[in-house]
């Protein structure tokens, strides 16, 4: 009898359900759910509330599946970086093959169910997003070019477009601008992170701009992308989905974001080392608020329109 | 020394099984809910299969 309990104890780690949930990157999913929800709510026309719920659910599932596939492919990089070393695959809690199977399986379920719940265009866009994130970003660009963040950012920018497509069955200026807002926002957001998490990306050998072109160039790039981002937010506020709330938020937050980018651009590495990257960290935190506030303002304007106030 | 009935590994497995079961029940509920919504609204409930169905051909075509 003793052998039995010994044998069980010597078996490798058995993942819990929570380990599989962690594979789906729930924190990233929350941003996807929020932006997709906004895209869906502000779109002209309407879905039955249950269809809308299902659409958001399957967009989130598609994002989660992408996360699992990303963790499967990037386990070697993740193991080196402090920020990602505790993820289920590099820490050994989930086998790489399991992550791949879960990723592929959930992608299929998400796309097919999206087509059944809404329409083929939205499902196709969801499938393309998963393909783009895994094949174009994770497998190709991330390890090859310092512009990885710029192009990879497109994958994170698709959810509001998919939400919009779930209702309308197509794309429009408004949904393209919501895409552009996240697309242009991603580089300054991640490069600010790369500035103060420098050793991590260096150790993993990921060609981040900070590694390949230096930190001075990264600061210049942050400023350039923030300057290009500002008109997108304001333009979005002037379209049919915008309104007073979006306009106020877009003007105020873009000015503040630009101010932060100028501050980052003017700082030397010695200044940043001296105060432990205080400005860069504040800029990164503000960038999260920036995106939530823009999409939140679109929701507020949608509510105002619904109530007949504008 | 007797057989240990519930090793820690069993608890992990149980948590996983319960999680998967609840997820499947939830998925069934979503599919059922979608079916109810679409049927109540009277969405197209038939499609072309291997045989053409004249009642589905838009007016003016297939003459």
């Amino acid at each position: 009898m003793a052998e039995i309990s010994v044998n069980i104890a010597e078996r490798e780690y058995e993942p819990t359900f929570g380990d599989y949930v962690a594979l789906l990157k729930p924190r990233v999913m929350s941003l996807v759910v929020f932006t997709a929800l906004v895209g869906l709510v502000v779109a002209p026309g309407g879905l039955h509330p249950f269809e809308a719920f299902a659409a958001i659910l399957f967009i989130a599932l598609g994002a989660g599946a992408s996360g699992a596939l990303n963790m499967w492919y990037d386990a070697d990089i993740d193991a080196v970086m402090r920020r990602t070393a505790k993820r289920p695959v590099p820490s050994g809690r989930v086998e790489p093959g399991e992550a791949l199977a879960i990723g592929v399986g959930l992608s299929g379920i998400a796309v097919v169910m999206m087509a059944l719940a809404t329409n083929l265009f939205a499902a196709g866009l969801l499938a393309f997003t998963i393909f783009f994130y895994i094949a174009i970003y994770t497998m190709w660009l991330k390890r090859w070019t310092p512009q990885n963040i710029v192009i990879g950012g497109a994958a994170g920018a698709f959810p509001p477009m998919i939400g919009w497509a779930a209702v309308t069955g197509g794309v429009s200026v408004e949904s393209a601008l919501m895409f552009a807002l996240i697309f242009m926002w991603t580089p300054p957001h991640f490069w600010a992170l790369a500035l103060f998490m420098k050793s991590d990306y260096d150790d993993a050998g990921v060609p981040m701009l900070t590694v390949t072109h230096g930190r001075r160039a990264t600061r210049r790039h942050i400023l350039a992308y923030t300057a290009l981002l500002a008109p997108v937010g304001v333009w979005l506020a002037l379209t049919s989905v915008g309104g007073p709330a979006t306009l106020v938020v877009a003007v105020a937050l873009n000015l503040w974001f630009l101010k932060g980018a100028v501050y980052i651009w003017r700082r030397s590495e010695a200044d940043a080392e001296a105060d432990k990257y205080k400005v860069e960290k504040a800029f990164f935190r503000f960038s999260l608020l920036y995106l939530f506030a823009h999409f939140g303002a679109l929701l507020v304007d949608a509510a105002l329109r619904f109530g007949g106030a504008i | 020394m007797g057989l240990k009935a519930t090793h820690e590994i069993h608890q992990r497995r149980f948590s996983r099984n319960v999680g998967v079961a609840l997820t499947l029940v939830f998925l069934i509920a979503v599919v059922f809910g979608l079916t109810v919504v679409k049927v109540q609204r009277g969405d197209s409930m038939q499609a072309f299969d291997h045989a053409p169905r004249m009642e589905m051909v838009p007016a003016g075509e297939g003459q």
Side-chain angles (χ1 to χ4, degrees), chain A residues 1-2 4-5 8-9 11-17 19-20 48 50-51 53-54 57-58 109 113 116-118, chain B residues 1-4 7 9-10 12-13 15-16 19-20 23 26-27 29-34 37-38 41 43:
Chain A
M1 286 297 175
I4 294 171
S5 61
I8 292 171
R11 274 195 56 160
E12 58 194 86
Y13 181 86
E14 281 261 339
T16 61
F17 191 67
D19 292 329
Y20 291 128
H48 186 284
F50 195 82
E51 284 177 316
F53 162 74
L57 179 72
F58 294 118
I109 293 173
M113 288 306 298
L116 293 173
T118 60
Chain B
M1 191 176 178
L3 175 67
K4 269 173 114 179
H7 190 274
I9 215 164
H10 292 117
R12 285 172 194 277
R13 215 170 273 171
S15 97
R16 205 170 62 197
V20 171
T23 309
F26 179 67
L27 186 65
V30 170
V31 172
F32 182 69
L34 277 173
V37 167
K38 289 188 183 282
R41 206 176 39 201
D43 280 2

Side-chain angles (χ1 to χ4, degrees), chain A residues 4-306:
Chain A
I4 294 171
S5 61
V6 169
N7 284 345
I8 292 171
E10 280 178 357
R11 274 195 56 160
E12 58 194 86
Y13 181 86
E14 281 261 339
T16 61
F17 191 67
D19 292 329
Y20 291 128
V21 173
L23 209 55
L24 310 183
K25 298 191 184 177
R27 277 176 61 198
V28 176
M29 219 193 254
S30 65
L31 189 67
V32 168
V33 165
F34 180 61
T35 56
L37 177 74
V38 174
L40 192 142
V41 168
V42 302
L47 285 177
H48 186 284
F50 195 82
E51 284 177 316
F53 162 74
I56 298 296
L57 179 72
F58 294 118
I59 294 172
L61 194 65
S66 307
L69 289 170
N70 171 270
M71 283 200 205
W72 158 70
Y73 194 80
D74 272 352
D76 57 334
I77 297 180
D78 286 350
V80 180
M81 301 210 295
R82 195 159 27 103
R83 188 170 63 89
T84 53
K86 291 199 177 100
R87 284 179 176 174
V89 179
S91 67
R93 283 177 291 148
V94 174
E95 293 289 321
E98 271 184 307
L100 173 64
I102 289 171
V104 171
L106 292 185
S107 299
I109 293 173
V111 171
V112 170
M113 288 306 298
M114 188 71 182
L116 293 173
T118 60
N119 57 67
L120 277 175
F121 185 84
L125 209 51
L126 180 62
F128 179 73
T129 306
I130 298 170
F131 165 79
F132 191 91
Y133 184 64
I134 298 307
I136 309 287
Y137 171 68
T138 303
M139 293 185 175
W140 182 29
L141 295 170
K142 185 173 178 179
R143 297 171 192 236
W144 181 63
T145 163
Q147 296 299 316
N148 48 16
I149 290 304
V150 179
I151 303 149
F158 276 116
M161 231 179 177
I162 304 173
W164 179 282
V167 179
T168 65
V171 290
S172 69
V173 177
E174 291 86 350
S175 77
L177 282 171
M178 285 190 279
F179 172 91
L181 188 73
I182 304 178
F183 180 68
M184 298 306 295
W185 164 88
T186 309
H189 167 77
F190 271 107
W191 282 330
L193 178 73
L195 278 176
F196 65 83
M197 298 282 273
K198 56 176 179 177
S199 59
D200 268 10
Y201 287 111
D202 290 355
D203 293 346
V206 175
M208 280 304 266
L209 202 63
T210 43
V211 184
T212 56
H213 290 66
R215 313 174 70 72
R216 185 73 250 150
T218 306
R219 291 172 186 279
R220 267 201 310 276
H221 274 72
I222 289 178
L223 179 61
Y225 274 91
T226 308
L228 291 170
L229 169 66
V232 176
V234 178
W235 187 5
L236 183 60
L238 299 174
T239 62
S240 69
V241 298
T246 317
L247 191 60
V248 168
V249 165
V251 171
L253 265 57
N254 278 296
L255 282 175
W256 192 256
F257 209 38
L258 260 175
K259 187 175 160 240
V262 170
Y263 204 11
I264 284 184
W265 171 61
R266 287 171 61 181
R267 269 155 74 85
S268 71
E269 221 31 56
D271 294 340
E273 295 268 3
D275 65 9
K276 297 197 172 82
Y277 294 91
K278 200 173 144 203
V279 173
E280 289 77 3
K281 284 176 181 170
F283 184 83
F284 177 76
R285 277 196 302 274
F286 181 74
S287 69
L288 288 167
L289 172 74
Y290 175 98
L291 203 65
F292 271 105
H294 267 85
F295 279 88
L298 286 172
L299 274 186
V300 170
D301 280 331
L304 290 176
R305 252 192 310 279
F306 184 73

